[in-house]
Each structure stands twice: as structure tokens, then as C-alpha cells.
Amino acid sequence: MVILKIALIGVGGAILAVIVRQFQKEYGVFVLLAVCLFLMAYLTSNVSVVVEFAEELGDKIQISDAYIRILFKLLAIAFICQIASNICQDLGYQSISFQVEIVGKLSIFILSIPIIHSLLETIESLM
């Protein structure tokens, strides 16, 4: 039921932004940003459950905490860039949206290099 509430908040916020844009175009942006910030705040309020699960999983299968932290950073980059890209598209700035996505993808690749390196070392040790 939580996802239904989130979906309704998102749709309601979008409708409110459209209505506000009709009367005061510049205030529609603020409604859009407020809804996005509210949804991001809700998302971050539930992160502790995921972190606890990841720590439990890491203890069971003996994964370094550094790798788990990297994975969380990768997820955060993906979410933040996607949200920023969508906001830029909603505001009509597709070129900025595209650049945000490219920078996000490049950042994810750079941050994942230690994991790729470790995977290659593991494969080499098995051969």
C-alpha cells in the first residue's frame, strides 16, 4: 500500500504542477521540485532497512564492507542522476538531461573499477 501512496503523491504533484503552470509558469517549477524532494526524503527514510540487509548479507557471504559501500554509492548515483535528468526533461532542457545521464554513467563506471578489478583477479586465480 505504500507504493500506492507514493504513486498518488507523484501523480497529484504532477497535476498540481500543471495547474500552477497555467497561472504562474515560474511557480510550477517549485511545485515540481517540492514533490521530488518529498519523494526523495521518503526514499532516504527507508534506507536503513536496506543497509541492515546488506550488512547481514555481507556477513553471511564474506564480502568486504568496501564493496558494499561502493554498491550503495553506485545506486545513489543512479537514482540521483535519473531524478535530476527527469527534472531537466520536465523543464524542457533535454540537452542538460542527456549530459546529467552521461556524467552519471561515467561516474558509475569509474566508481565500479575496483569491483571489476577484483572480479578479474578472482577469475585469474581460478585459471
Side-chain angles (χ1 to χ4, degrees):
M1 289 315 248
V2 173
I3 195 67
L4 183 61
K5 291 177 186 175
I6 296 301
L8 289 174
I9 290 170
V11 172
I15 291 170
L16 183 62
V18 168
I19 291 170
V20 169
R21 270 190 197 163
Q22 289 177 351
F23 300 108
Q24 293 287 335
K25 188 172 184 173
E26 59 274 1
Y27 292 128
V29 174
F30 295 119
V31 171
L32 175 71
L33 290 175
V35 171
C36 289
L37 288 174
F38 175 78
L39 293 175
M40 283 289 292
Y42 178 78
L43 174 71
T44 56
S45 70
N46 293 321
V47 170
S48 63
V49 175
V50 177
V51 171
E52 289 172 10
F53 172 75
E55 288 174 352
E56 242 179 66
L57 188 63
D59 290 340
K60 288 182 181 178
I61 58 176
Q62 302 301 320
I63 294 177
S64 172
D65 287 344
Y67 294 135
I68 292 174
R69 275 187 254 121
I70 289 173
L71 289 175
F72 276 115
K73 288 179 184 178
L74 294 173
L75 275 173
I77 290 171
F79 283 131
I80 290 168
C81 288
Q82 184 65 50
I83 290 168
S85 172
N86 289 344
I87 290 172
C88 290
Q89 282 182 352
D90 287 345
L91 296 175
Y93 296 102
Q94 283 77 19
S95 59
I96 295 174
S97 169
F98 179 72
Q99 296 302 318
V100 168
E101 288 179 6
I102 294 295
V103 169
K105 290 173 184 176
L106 185 59
S107 298
I108 288 172
F109 176 72
I110 291 170
L111 194 59
S112 65
I113 288 174
I115 294 174
I116 295 170
H117 190 298
S118 176
L119 180 64
L120 291 175
E121 285 179 350
T122 303
I123 292 171
E124 285 178 355
S125 69
L126 294 174
M127 295 183 143

